[in-house]
């Protein structure tokens, strides 16, 4: 079961997106290339969004896990792209800290 908030990693882009709840997801859904985004929930589980062809309804499905180290690398690249310096010093020892860092970066 997916736990909110979620982190959305766009393909071929260093931009990350923090989505707080299902309502925000539904608002953003038309703008996302859901076939190729990586979704990480607040517990560190990886998901993909799959649309059911007959109903056009979508749902989250577990996917191959991503290491905490790779997620931290994504956060560093995201921070750097958004003009934050000293991104090599960014670190986290758990997924909760990753989400705290993302929230902080979004506020700046």
């Amino acid at each position: 079961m997916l736990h909110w908030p979620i982190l959305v990693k766009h393909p071929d882009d260093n931009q990350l997106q923090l989505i707080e709840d299902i309502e925000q997801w539904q608002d953003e859904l038309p703008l996302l290339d859901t076939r190729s985004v990586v979704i990480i929930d607040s517990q560190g589980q990886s998901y993909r969004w799959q649309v059911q062809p007959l109903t056009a309804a979508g749902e989250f499905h577990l996917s191959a896990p991503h290491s905490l180290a790779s997620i931290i690398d994504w956060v560093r690249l995201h921070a750097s792209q958004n003009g934050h310096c000293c991104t090599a010093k960014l670190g986290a020892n758990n997924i909760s800290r990753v989400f705290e860092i993302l929230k902080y970066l979004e506020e700046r």
Side-chain angles (χ1 to χ4, degrees):
M1 181 172 118
L2 184 97
H3 294 88
W4 298 95
I6 61 173
L7 172 158
V8 177
K9 168 75 171 85
H10 300 271
D12 303 321
D13 189 351
N14 292 331
Q15 194 65 29
L16 300 176
Q17 193 170 0
L18 185 63
I19 298 183
E20 294 290 337
D21 53 37
I22 190 69
E23 290 81 17
Q24 185 181 359
W25 172 258
Q26 290 170 340
D27 289 345
E28 297 290 335
L29 198 52
L31 307 173
L32 296 173
D33 178 5
T34 56
R35 294 168 295 165
S36 54
V37 295
V38 175
I39 300 162
I40 308 292
D41 78 357
S42 62
Q43 301 295 308
Q45 295 292 318
S46 298
Y47 291 85
R48 61 184 165 75
W49 180 255
Q50 184 171 346
V51 175
Q52 304 302 322
L54 297 177
T55 64
E59 54 190 36
F60 294 99
H61 290 271
L62 278 172
S63 65
H66 294 273
S67 69
L68 181 60
S70 66
I71 296 170
I72 293 167
D73 286 342
W74 297 346
V75 172
R76 287 180 181 139
L77 290 169
H78 170 77
S80 178
Q81 179 174 313
N82 288 297
H84 296 277
C85 65
C86 305
T87 58
K89 294 180 182 179
L90 279 178
N93 57 2
N94 59 53
I95 197 68
S96 296
R97 184 70 179 126
V98 168
F99 277 84
E100 290 172 12
I101 292 168
L102 279 173
K103 286 180 183 180
Y104 173 83
L105 293 172
E106 283 200 352
E107 292 171 357
R108 300 289 178 247

